[in-house]
Amino acid sequence: MDLALIGTVAALGFAAIISGGVVVRWIRAPRGVRSRLRHAFGPIAGAGESYQELHTGQRGLQDSIIAVVQEQEQRGGAERDADAPR
C-alpha cells in the first residue's frame, strides 16, 4: 500500500474517533446549550491550551485567571478597608 494512503486512512480514523467522543460527551452532557457545548468540547479546548502553553512558554488562560484571583484575594482586604467610608 502507498504510504500516503495509510496516512490518510490513519488521519480519518483519528478524526472519526475524536468526533465520536464529542458526540458521546454531547449526549451525556447536562441540559442547557452552553453547558453542553462546554462539556462536549472541553477536552479539545484543554488540549489546545496545553499545546499553546508548551509552544509559547506562557501560562494558559485558566492558570492566568487562577493567579489573578489569588492576587486579588491577597490584596482584597487592604483595598476594601481603604475604600470603606469613614
Side-chain angles (χ1 to χ4, degrees), residues 59-76 79:
R59 289 189 302 201
L61 179 62
Q62 186 174 4
D63 293 337
S64 298
I65 291 172
I66 290 170
V68 167
V69 168
Q70 287 175 346
E71 288 175 9
Q72 287 178 348
E73 287 176 350
Q74 290 173 356
R75 294 183 307 169
E79 290 177 0

Side-chain angles (χ1 to χ4, degrees), residues 26-57:
W26 176 277
I27 291 170
R28 291 185 176 184
R31 298 273 183 222
V33 176
R34 289 185 184 176
S35 65
R36 280 189 169 209
L37 282 174
R38 213 174 274 141
H39 187 79
F41 290 100
I44 295 172
E49 186 170 348
S50 296
Y51 180 82
Q52 182 179 4
E53 287 177 16
L54 291 171
H55 284 283
T56 62

